[in-house]
């Protein structure tokens, strides 16, 4: 492989990885605080996509549409928790799982009924398709923007979690929810906050996702939640920074396989990536960074 | 300061506390002793509001508090140091302590509490940047108690603070509890280590099989006027 190609693929992997990392962190955020897998997480990406589709079609600028998409995803996430999960707070794990699954199905069908079951195009700014040239190196603008936005979002979130008292509340609740309550951290508030952050991350990832695909479909949330789930499992369930790491690992696996696999195997890249994940989990069943839930005596 | 009357507590359909009463006066150290599974932790968890009682009343400073959340109770000065310490293993020592002061909005007050805790436990000051999970058992116990102190409680509930500690550290823990009472705290101490707990307590209750089997002044248990062993067996 030429150095040019290597750099290109590296940037591809990093940019894809930053999307996966955002998604995985969003899913892990709710999982670690509430111990529930939110199947409706992918639909937050979908909501972002359709808000953007609608606003761009109404001649709004792409950036405004993107910001609105992120805001809607954040609000939707908080609202879904209050309507579909909060009344079931004491219910068993499986009940919450079904409830989130129901939310996902309802949102998908609402979009099918109210908008269209068929794909809709979201025109992206021309600059996204351009390529920057540095001597013999060619670097796509979109992967660079994706990487920049992704890393900026992760950095801001890390600063929020590490440096503010709300961030401390989230991290404490993620480690031991009951003891967090004993510290005076209000359960409903920290859960709302976790869902808000989760929605925000889904929104930012959603904007980047839409910018790559240029279309929206009612079931477009499926692939993002699948990737998020795999990344979270790789990183170690219930561990925030593990999820970020898992996102990048998954992207590197996919991009590497795409490069090294013979052309006729390319359609099965994702299947091979899954096999690689199984191998990782065989050697590290708790994920790369094990969640620490066990108590020491 | 705290009154518990005819308290009944269930886990789901199973009743584990069958109508117990207890009262604690300001400035006292009151022990709750008893065998494994007697319901001691359940009692403390119910007082702070982690669990709702099925029946009965809990009042604190003349107000009914059954039904209040742990957050509200902490704001009113009731703190629990839970069984097994349960420090936040992936937060630093300092972050654990800050978490304990979550409800304290005044930065100066937080710094004062921090100075008090570091003064009590100089080793925590040394290890402030270390993750809680890397501390030894004894240091984790100090951190758990220090974290509860950060909210400036008036009533502190300690659930088996000596559990799993070396004998010398057990001594230290009991001495610390006495010092805290000297600072004006009221203390409910749940212990398996009955003999040592009685040495520092004013009064004691024995809770076995979800019922109060005996109650009295600590000396009465020590001198044998009240039979601790029979109370433990649950049919005194
Ligand atoms: N989460 C739970 N679900 C169901 N039953 C429980 C639960 N926790 C405790 N119990 C039961 O409630 C009873 C009282 O338990 P509790 O933990 O309050 O006792 P304890 O006196 O604190 O015991 P130990 O000395 O072992 O800490 C026991 O019979 C126990 O099996
Ligand atoms: Mg107990």
């Amino acid at each position: 492989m030429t150095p040019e190609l290597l750099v290109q693929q590296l940037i591809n992997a990093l940019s894809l990885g930053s999307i996966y990392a955002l998604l995985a962190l969003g899913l892990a955020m709710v999982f670690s605080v509430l111990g529930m897998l939110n199947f409706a997480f992918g639909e937050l990406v979908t909501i972002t996509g359709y808000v953007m589709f609608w606003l761009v079609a109404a001649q709004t600028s792409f950036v405004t549409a993107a910001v609105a998409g992120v805001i809607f995803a954040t609000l939707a996430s908080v609202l879904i928790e209050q309507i579909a999960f909060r009344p079931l707070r004491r219910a068993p794990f499986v009940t919450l799982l079904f409830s989130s699954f129901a939310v996902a199905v309802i949102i998908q069908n609402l979009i099918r009924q109210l908008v269209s079951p068929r794909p809709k195009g979201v025109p992206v700014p021309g600059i996204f398709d351009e390529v920057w040239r540095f001597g013999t190196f060619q670097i796509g603008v979109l992967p660079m923007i994706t990487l920049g936005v992704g890393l900026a979002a992760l950095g801001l979130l890390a600063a929020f979690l590490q440096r503010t008292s709300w961030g401390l509340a989230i991290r404490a609740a993620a480690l031991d929810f009951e003891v967090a309550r004993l510290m005076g951290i209000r359960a409903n508030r920290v859960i709302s906050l976790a869902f808000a952050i989760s929605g925000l991350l889904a929104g930012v990832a959603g904007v980047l996702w839409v910018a790559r695909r240029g279309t929206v479909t009612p079931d477009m949330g499926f692939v993002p939640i699948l990737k998020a789930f795999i990344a979270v499992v790789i990183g170690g369930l219930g561990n925030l920074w593990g999820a970020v790491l898992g996102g990048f690992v998954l992207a590197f696996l996919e991009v590497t396989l795409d490069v090294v696999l013979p052309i006729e195997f390319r359609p099965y890249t994702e299947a091979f990536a899954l096999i690689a994940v199984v191998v990782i989990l065989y050697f590290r069943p708790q994920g790369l960074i094990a969640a620490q839930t066990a108590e020491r005596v | 300061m705290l009154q518990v009357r005819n308290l009944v507590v269930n886990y789901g359909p199973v009743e584990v506390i069958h109508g117990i009463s207890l009262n604690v006066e300001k400035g006292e150290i009151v022990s709750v002793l008893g065998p494994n599974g007697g319901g001691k932790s359940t009692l403390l968890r119910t007082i702070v509001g982690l669990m709702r009682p099925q029946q009965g009343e809990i009042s604190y400073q003349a107000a009914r508090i059954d039904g209040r959340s742990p957050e509200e109770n902490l704001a009113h000065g009731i703190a629990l140091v839970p069984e097994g310490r349960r420090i936040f293993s992936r937060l630093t020592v300092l972050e654990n302590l800050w978490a304990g002061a979550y409800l304290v909005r005044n930065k100066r007050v937080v710094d004062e509490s921090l100075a008090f805790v570091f003064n009590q436990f100089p080793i925590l000051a040394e290890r402030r940047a270390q993750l809680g999970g890397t501390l030894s058992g004894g240091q984790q116990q100090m951190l758990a108690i220090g974290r509860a102190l950060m909210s400036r409680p008036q009533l502190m509930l300690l659930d088996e603070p000596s559990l799993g500690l070396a004998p010398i550290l057990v001594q230290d823990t009991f001495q610390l509890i006495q010092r805290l009472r000297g600072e004006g705290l009221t203390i409910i101490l749940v212990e398996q280590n009955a003999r040592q707990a009685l040495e520092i307590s004013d009064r004691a209750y024995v809770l076995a099989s979800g019922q109060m089997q005996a109650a009295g002044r600590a000396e009465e248990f020590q001198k044998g006027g009240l039979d601790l062993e029979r109370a433990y067996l649950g049919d005194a």
Side-chain angles (χ1 to χ4, degrees), chain B residues 11 16 34-43 83 159-160 190 192:
Chain B
Y11 282 105
V16 297
N36 281 327
K40 305 180 297 295
S41 298
T42 308
L43 171 64
E83 187 170 5
D159 197 344
E160 304 207 27
V190 158
Q192 298 265 1

mmCIF file with all atom_site columns, all heavy atoms in Angstrom, chain B residues 11 16 34-43 83 159-160 190 192, ligand 1:
data_model
loop_
_atom_site.group_PDB
_atom_site.id
_atom_site.type_symbol
_atom_site.label_atom_id
_atom_site.label_alt_id
_atom_site.label_comp_id
_atom_site.label_asym_id
_atom_site.label_entity_id
_atom_site.label_seq_id
_atom_site.pdbx_PDB_ins_code
_atom_site.Cartn_x
_atom_site.Cartn_y
_atom_site.Cartn_z
_atom_site.occupancy
_atom_site.B_iso_or_equiv
_atom_site.pdbx_formal_charge
_atom_site.auth_seq_id
_atom_site.auth_comp_id
_atom_site.auth_asym_id
_atom_site.auth_atom_id
_atom_site.pdbx_PDB_model_num
ATOM   1   N N   . TYR B 1 11  ? -39.440 -7.078  51.473 1.00 0.00 ? 11  TYR B N   1
ATOM   2   C CA  . TYR B 1 11  ? -38.819 -7.174  50.139 1.00 0.00 ? 11  TYR B CA  1
ATOM   3   C C   . TYR B 1 11  ? -39.840 -7.869  49.264 1.00 0.00 ? 11  TYR B C   1
ATOM   4   O O   . TYR B 1 11  ? -40.073 -9.063  49.441 1.00 0.00 ? 11  TYR B O   1
ATOM   5   C CB  . TYR B 1 11  ? -37.524 -7.989  50.172 1.00 0.00 ? 11  TYR B CB  1
ATOM   6   C CG  . TYR B 1 11  ? -36.343 -7.233  50.723 1.00 0.00 ? 11  TYR B CG  1
ATOM   7   C CD1 . TYR B 1 11  ? -35.861 -7.476  52.002 1.00 0.00 ? 11  TYR B CD1 1
ATOM   8   C CD2 . TYR B 1 11  ? -35.699 -6.274  49.946 1.00 0.00 ? 11  TYR B CD2 1
ATOM   9   C CE1 . TYR B 1 11  ? -34.769 -6.782  52.499 1.00 0.00 ? 11  TYR B CE1 1
ATOM   10  C CE2 . TYR B 1 11  ? -34.608 -5.584  50.441 1.00 0.00 ? 11  TYR B CE2 1
ATOM   11  C CZ  . TYR B 1 11  ? -34.147 -5.834  51.708 1.00 0.00 ? 11  TYR B CZ  1
ATOM   12  O OH  . TYR B 1 11  ? -33.070 -5.146  52.188 1.00 0.00 ? 11  TYR B OH  1
ATOM   13  N N   . VAL B 1 16  ? -39.656 -8.745  56.138 1.00 0.00 ? 16  VAL B N   1
ATOM   14  C CA  . VAL B 1 16  ? -38.410 -9.073  56.833 1.00 0.00 ? 16  VAL B CA  1
ATOM   15  C C   . VAL B 1 16  ? -38.264 -8.304  58.143 1.00 0.00 ? 16  VAL B C   1
ATOM   16  O O   . VAL B 1 16  ? -37.477 -8.691  58.986 1.00 0.00 ? 16  VAL B O   1
ATOM   17  C CB  . VAL B 1 16  ? -37.162 -8.840  55.952 1.00 0.00 ? 16  VAL B CB  1
ATOM   18  C CG1 . VAL B 1 16  ? -37.198 -9.753  54.736 1.00 0.00 ? 16  VAL B CG1 1
ATOM   19  C CG2 . VAL B 1 16  ? -37.035 -7.405  55.535 1.00 0.00 ? 16  VAL B CG2 1
ATOM   20  N N   . GLY B 1 34  ? -27.012 -7.836  66.294 1.00 0.00 ? 34  GLY B N   1
ATOM   21  C CA  . GLY B 1 34  ? -27.860 -8.961  65.897 1.00 0.00 ? 34  GLY B CA  1
ATOM   22  C C   . GLY B 1 34  ? -27.189 -9.830  64.858 1.00 0.00 ? 34  GLY B C   1
ATOM   23  O O   . GLY B 1 34  ? -26.214 -9.416  64.238 1.00 0.00 ? 34  GLY B O   1
ATOM   24  N N   . PRO B 1 35  ? -27.716 -11.041 64.695 1.00 0.00 ? 35  PRO B N   1
ATOM   25  C CA  . PRO B 1 35  ? -27.092 -12.012 63.799 1.00 0.00 ? 35  PRO B CA  1
ATOM   26  C C   . PRO B 1 35  ? -27.310 -11.665 62.323 1.00 0.00 ? 35  PRO B C   1
ATOM   27  O O   . PRO B 1 35  ? -28.096 -10.775 62.006 1.00 0.00 ? 35  PRO B O   1
ATOM   28  C CB  . PRO B 1 35  ? -27.823 -13.308 64.141 1.00 0.00 ? 35  PRO B CB  1
ATOM   29  C CG  . PRO B 1 35  ? -29.170 -12.859 64.620 1.00 0.00 ? 35  PRO B CG  1
ATOM   30  C CD  . PRO B 1 35  ? -28.941 -11.561 65.317 1.00 0.00 ? 35  PRO B CD  1
ATOM   31  N N   . ASN B 1 36  ? -26.609 -12.373 61.485 1.00 0.00 ? 36  ASN B N   1
ATOM   32  C CA  . ASN B 1 36  ? -26.785 -12.216 60.031 1.00 0.00 ? 36  ASN B CA  1
ATOM   33  C C   . ASN B 1 36  ? -28.243 -12.361 59.637 1.00 0.00 ? 36  ASN B C   1
ATOM   34  O O   . ASN B 1 36  ? -28.934 -13.241 60.133 1.00 0.00 ? 36  ASN B O   1
ATOM   35  C CB  . ASN B 1 36  ? -26.002 -13.302 59.288 1.00 0.00 ? 36  ASN B CB  1
ATOM   36  C CG  . ASN B 1 36  ? -24.537 -12.969 59.211 1.00 0.00 ? 36  ASN B CG  1
ATOM   37  O OD1 . ASN B 1 36  ? -24.174 -11.806 59.122 1.00 0.00 ? 36  ASN B OD1 1
ATOM   38  N ND2 . ASN B 1 36  ? -23.709 -13.982 59.275 1.00 0.00 ? 36  ASN B ND2 1
ATOM   39  N N   . GLY B 1 37  ? -28.661 -11.500 58.733 1.00 0.00 ? 37  GLY B N   1
ATOM   40  C CA  . GLY B 1 37  ? -30.015 -11.625 58.217 1.00 0.00 ? 37  GLY B CA  1
ATOM   41  C C   . GLY B 1 37  ? -31.082 -11.164 59.196 1.00 0.00 ? 37  GLY B C   1
ATOM   42  O O   . GLY B 1 37  ? -32.266 -11.363 58.963 1.00 0.00 ? 37  GLY B O   1
ATOM   43  N N   . GLY B 1 38  ? -30.669 -10.524 60.283 1.00 0.00 ? 38  GLY B N   1
ATOM   44  C CA  . GLY B 1 38  ? -31.627 -10.102 61.291 1.00 0.00 ? 38  GLY B CA  1
ATOM   45  C C   . GLY B 1 38  ? -32.485 -8.926  60.850 1.00 0.00 ? 38  GLY B C   1
ATOM   46  O O   . GLY B 1 38  ? -33.551 -8.690  61.400 1.00 0.00 ? 38  GLY B O   1
ATOM   47  N N   . GLY B 1 39  ? -31.997 -8.168  59.869 1.00 0.00 ? 39  GLY B N   1
ATOM   48  C CA  . GLY B 1 39  ? -32.762 -7.029  59.373 1.00 0.00 ? 39  GLY B CA  1
ATOM   49  C C   . GLY B 1 39  ? -32.119 -5.686  59.682 1.00 0.00 ? 39  GLY B C   1
ATOM   50  O O   . GLY B 1 39  ? -32.725 -4.632  59.488 1.00 0.00 ? 39  GLY B O   1
ATOM   51  N N   . LYS B 1 40  ? -30.860 -5.702  60.124 1.00 0.00 ? 40  LYS B N   1
ATOM   52  C CA  . LYS B 1 40  ? -30.197 -4.457  60.529 1.00 0.00 ? 40  LYS B CA  1
ATOM   53  C C   . LYS B 1 40  ? -30.007 -3.506  59.350 1.00 0.00 ? 40  LYS B C   1
ATOM   54  O O   . LYS B 1 40  ? -30.349 -2.323  59.428 1.00 0.00 ? 40  LYS B O   1
ATOM   55  C CB  . LYS B 1 40  ? -28.832 -4.779  61.167 1.00 0.00 ? 40  LYS B CB  1
ATOM   56  C CG  . LYS B 1 40  ? -28.923 -5.764  62.330 1.00 0.00 ? 40  LYS B CG  1
ATOM   57  C CD  . LYS B 1 40  ? -27.570 -6.070  62.935 1.00 0.00 ? 40  LYS B CD  1
ATOM   58  C CE  . LYS B 1 40  ? -26.579 -6.757  61.994 1.00 0.00 ? 40  LYS B CE  1
ATOM   59  N NZ  . LYS B 1 40  ? -26.967 -8.113  61.570 1.00 0.00 ? 40  LYS B NZ  1
ATOM   60  N N   . SER B 1 41  ? -29.466 -4.045  58.246 1.00 0.00 ? 41  SER B N   1
ATOM   61  C CA  . SER B 1 41  ? -29.250 -3.179  57.083 1.00 0.00 ? 41  SER B CA  1
ATOM   62  C C   . SER B 1 41  ? -30.574 -2.669  56.547 1.00 0.00 ? 41  SER B C   1
ATOM   63  O O   . SER B 1 41  ? -30.693 -1.506  56.146 1.00 0.00 ? 41  SER B O   1
ATOM   64  C CB  . SER B 1 41  ? -28.525 -3.942  55.975 1.00 0.00 ? 41  SER B CB  1
ATOM   65  O OG  . SER B 1 41  ? -27.259 -4.354  56.426 1.00 0.00 ? 41  SER B OG  1
ATOM   66  N N   . THR B 1 42  ? -31.561 -3.541  56.536 1.00 0.00 ? 42  THR B N   1
ATOM   67  C CA  . THR B 1 42  ? -32.878 -3.145  56.045 1.00 0.00 ? 42  THR B CA  1
ATOM   68  C C   . THR B 1 42  ? -33.424 -1.977  56.873 1.00 0.00 ? 42  THR B C   1
ATOM   69  O O   . THR B 1 42  ? -33.989 -1.027  56.320 1.00 0.00 ? 42  THR B O   1
ATOM   70  C CB  . THR B 1 42  ? -33.843 -4.344  56.101 1.00 0.00 ? 42  THR B CB  1
ATOM   71  O OG1 . THR B 1 42  ? -33.227 -5.452  55.441 1.00 0.00 ? 42  THR B OG1 1
ATOM   72  C CG2 . THR B 1 42  ? -35.165 -4.012  55.440 1.00 0.00 ? 42  THR B CG2 1
ATOM   73  N N   . LEU B 1 43  ? -33.221 -2.045  58.181 1.00 0.00 ? 43  LEU B N   1
ATOM   74  C CA  . LEU B 1 43  ? -33.668 -0.956  59.047 1.00 0.00 ? 43  LEU B CA  1
ATOM   75  C C   . LEU B 1 43  ? -32.999 0.369   58.651 1.00 0.00 ? 43  LEU B C   1
ATOM   76  O O   . LEU B 1 43  ? -33.675 1.389   58.458 1.00 0.00 ? 43  LEU B O   1
ATOM   77  C CB  . LEU B 1 43  ? -33.354 -1.304  60.508 1.00 0.00 ? 43  LEU B CB  1
ATOM   78  C CG  . LEU B 1 43  ? -33.559 -0.183  61.541 1.00 0.00 ? 43  LEU B CG  1
ATOM   79  C CD1 . LEU B 1 43  ? -35.020 0.224   61.619 1.00 0.00 ? 43  LEU B CD1 1
ATOM   80  C CD2 . LEU B 1 43  ? -33.051 -0.609  62.917 1.00 0.00 ? 43  LEU B CD2 1
ATOM   81  N N   . GLU B 1 83  ? -23.327 -0.609  54.052 1.00 0.00 ? 83  GLU B N   1
ATOM   82  C CA  . GLU B 1 83  ? -22.629 -1.862  54.275 1.00 0.00 ? 83  GLU B CA  1
ATOM   83  C C   . GLU B 1 83  ? -21.678 -2.130  53.097 1.00 0.00 ? 83  GLU B C   1
ATOM   84  O O   . GLU B 1 83  ? -22.030 -1.909  51.943 1.00 0.00 ? 83  GLU B O   1
ATOM   85  C CB  . GLU B 1 83  ? -23.666 -2.988  54.362 1.00 0.00 ? 83  GLU B CB  1
ATOM   86  C CG  . GLU B 1 83  ? -23.105 -4.318  54.760 1.00 0.00 ? 83  GLU B CG  1
ATOM   87  C CD  . GLU B 1 83  ? -24.200 -5.335  55.066 1.00 0.00 ? 83  GLU B CD  1
ATOM   88  O OE1 . GLU B 1 83  ? -25.398 -5.029  54.877 1.00 0.00 ? 83  GLU B OE1 1
ATOM   89  O OE2 . GLU B 1 83  ? -23.855 -6.440  55.488 1.00 0.00 ? 83  GLU B OE2 1
ATOM   90  N N   . ASP B 1 159 ? -23.234 1.190   58.823 1.00 0.00 ? 159 ASP B N   1
ATOM   91  C CA  . ASP B 1 159 ? -23.608 -0.216  58.684 1.00 0.00 ? 159 ASP B CA  1
ATOM   92  C C   . ASP B 1 159 ? -22.350 -1.089  58.661 1.00 0.00 ? 159 ASP B C   1
ATOM   93  O O   . ASP B 1 159 ? -21.661 -1.160  57.649 1.00 0.00 ? 159 ASP B O   1
ATOM   94  C CB  . ASP B 1 159 ? -24.436 -0.428  57.413 1.00 0.00 ? 159 ASP B CB  1
ATOM   95  C CG  . ASP B 1 159 ? -25.189 -1.752  57.438 1.00 0.00 ? 159 ASP B CG  1
ATOM   96  O OD1 . ASP B 1 159 ? -24.840 -2.620  58.267 1.00 0.00 ? 159 ASP B OD1 1
ATOM   97  O OD2 . ASP B 1 159 ? -26.126 -1.916  56.623 1.00 0.00 ? 159 ASP B OD2 1
ATOM   98  N N   . GLU B 1 160 ? -22.062 -1.716  59.765 1.00 0.00 ? 160 GLU B N   1
ATOM   99  C CA  . GLU B 1 160 ? -20.917 -2.609  59.937 1.00 0.00 ? 160 GLU B CA  1
ATOM   100 C C   . GLU B 1 160 ? -19.601 -2.008  59.453 1.00 0.00 ? 160 GLU B C   1
ATOM   101 O O   . GLU B 1 160 ? -18.935 -2.551  58.572 1.00 0.00 ? 160 GLU B O   1
ATOM   102 C CB  . GLU B 1 160 ? -21.173 -3.938  59.203 1.00 0.00 ? 160 GLU B CB  1
ATOM   103 C CG  . GLU B 1 160 ? -22.466 -4.572  59.690 1.00 0.00 ? 160 GLU B CG  1
ATOM   104 C CD  . GLU B 1 160 ? -22.484 -6.095  59.556 1.00 0.00 ? 160 GLU B CD  1
ATOM   105 O OE1 . GLU B 1 160 ? -21.405 -6.693  59.588 1.00 0.00 ? 160 GLU B OE1 1
ATOM   106 O OE2 . GLU B 1 160 ? -23.576 -6.647  59.433 1.00 0.00 ? 160 GLU B OE2 1
ATOM   107 N N   . VAL B 1 190 ? -24.553 -0.065  63.411 1.00 0.00 ? 190 VAL B N   1
ATOM   108 C CA  . VAL B 1 190 ? -24.918 -1.464  63.238 1.00 0.00 ? 190 VAL B CA  1
ATOM   109 C C   . VAL B 1 190 ? -23.640 -2.281  63.272 1.00 0.00 ? 190 VAL B C   1
ATOM   110 O O   . VAL B 1 190 ? -22.678 -1.940  62.592 1.00 0.00 ? 190 VAL B O   1
ATOM   111 C CB  . VAL B 1 190 ? -25.662 -1.664  61.896 1.00 0.00 ? 190 VAL B CB  1
ATOM   112 C CG1 . VAL B 1 190 ? -25.580 -3.108  61.446 1.00 0.00 ? 190 VAL B CG1 1
ATOM   113 C CG2 . VAL B 1 190 ? -27.124 -1.246  62.034 1.00 0.00 ? 190 VAL B CG2 1
ATOM   114 N N   . GLN B 1 192 ? -21.641 -6.354  64.016 1.00 0.00 ? 192 GLN B N   1
ATOM   115 C CA  . GLN B 1 192 ? -21.586 -7.773  64.393 1.00 0.00 ? 192 GLN B CA  1
ATOM   116 C C   . GLN B 1 192 ? -20.663 -7.912  65.590 1.00 0.00 ? 192 GLN B C   1
ATOM   117 O O   . GLN B 1 192 ? -20.729 -8.857  66.352 1.00 0.00 ? 192 GLN B O   1
ATOM   118 C CB  . GLN B 1 192 ? -20.983 -8.608  63.246 1.00 0.00 ? 192 GLN B CB  1
ATOM   119 C CG  . GLN B 1 192 ? -21.766 -8.591  61.975 1.00 0.00 ? 192 GLN B CG  1
ATOM   120 C CD  . GLN B 1 192 ? -22.708 -9.767  61.877 1.00 0.00 ? 192 GLN B CD  1
ATOM   121 O OE1 . GLN B 1 192 ? -22.784 -10.584 62.787 1.00 0.00 ? 192 GLN B OE1 1
ATOM   122 N NE2 . GLN B 1 192 ? -23.450 -9.841  60.787 1.00 0.00 ? 192 GLN B NE2 1
HETATM 123 N N1  . LIG C 2 .   ? -32.549 -7.403  48.225 1.00 0.00 ? 1   LIG C N1  1
HETATM 124 C C1  . LIG C 2 .   ? -33.184 -8.326  48.977 1.00 0.00 ? 1   LIG C C1  1
HETATM 125 N N2  . LIG C 2 .   ? -34.211 -9.028  48.453 1.00 0.00 ? 1   LIG C N2  1
HETATM 126 C C2  . LIG C 2 .   ? -34.860 -9.946  49.227 1.00 0.00 ? 1   LIG C C2  1
HETATM 127 N N3  . LIG C 2 .   ? -34.564 -10.225 50.482 1.00 0.00 ? 1   LIG C N3  1
HETATM 128 C C3  . LIG C 2 .   ? -33.558 -9.559  51.046 1.00 0.00 ? 1   LIG C C3  1
HETATM 129 C C4  . LIG C 2 .   ? -32.808 -8.570  50.331 1.00 0.00 ? 1   LIG C C4  1
HETATM 130 N N4  . LIG C 2 .   ? -31.862 -8.075  51.137 1.00 0.00 ? 1   LIG C N4  1
HETATM 131 C C5  . LIG C 2 .   ? -32.005 -8.716  52.315 1.00 0.00 ? 1   LIG C C5  1
HETATM 132 N N5  . LIG C 2 .   ? -33.016 -9.601  52.265 1.00 0.00 ? 1   LIG C N5  1
HETATM 133 C C6  . LIG C 2 .   ? -33.476 -10.458 53.373 1.00 0.00 ? 1   LIG C C6  1
HETATM 134 O O1  . LIG C 2 .   ? -33.925 -9.635  54.411 1.00 0.00 ? 1   LIG C O1  1
HETATM 135 C C7  . LIG C 2 .   ? -33.521 -10.132 55.652 1.00 0.00 ? 1   LIG C C7  1
HETATM 136 C C8  . LIG C 2 .   ? -32.769 -9.071  56.420 1.00 0.00 ? 1   LIG C C8  1
HETATM 137 O O2  . LIG C 2 .   ? -31.571 -8.757  55.731 1.00 0.00 ? 1   LIG C O2  1
HETATM 138 P P1  . LIG C 2 .   ? -30.586 -7.609  56.185 1.00 0.00 ? 1   LIG C P1  1
HETATM 139 O O3  . LIG C 2 .   ? -29.573 -7.460  55.115 1.00 0.00 ? 1   LIG C O3  1
HETATM 140 O O4  . LIG C 2 .   ? -31.359 -6.423  56.579 1.00 0.00 ? 1   LIG C O4  1
HETATM 141 O O5  . LIG C 2 .   ? -29.943 -8.281  57.472 1.00 0.00 ? 1   LIG C O5  1
HETATM 142 P P2  . LIG C 2 .   ? -28.673 -7.825  58.283 1.00 0.00 ? 1   LIG C P2  1
HETATM 143 O O6  . LIG C 2 .   ? -29.091 -7.882  59.703 1.00 0.00 ? 1   LIG C O6  1
HETATM 144 O O7  . LIG C 2 .   ? -28.153 -6.542  57.777 1.00 0.00 ? 1   LIG C O7  1
HETATM 145 O O8  . LIG C 2 .   ? -27.663 -9.008  57.994 1.00 0.00 ? 1   LIG C O8  1
HETATM 146 P P3  . LIG C 2 .   ? -26.061 -8.969  57.831 1.00 0.00 ? 1   LIG C P3  1
HETATM 147 O O9  . LIG C 2 .   ? -25.525 -9.002  59.229 1.00 0.00 ? 1   LIG C O9  1
HETATM 148 O O10 . LIG C 2 .   ? -25.769 -10.226 57.089 1.00 0.00 ? 1   LIG C O10 1
HETATM 149 O O11 . LIG C 2 .   ? -25.700 -7.739  57.101 1.00 0.00 ? 1   LIG C O11 1
HETATM 150 C C9  . LIG C 2 .   ? -32.688 -11.387 55.372 1.00 0.00 ? 1   LIG C C9  1
HETATM 151 O O12 . LIG C 2 .   ? -33.519 -12.497 55.562 1.00 0.00 ? 1   LIG C O12 1
HETATM 152 C C10 . LIG C 2 .   ? -32.328 -11.261 53.936 1.00 0.00 ? 1   LIG C C10 1
HETATM 153 O O13 . LIG C 2 .   ? -32.260 -12.527 53.327 1.00 0.00 ? 1   LIG C O13 1
#
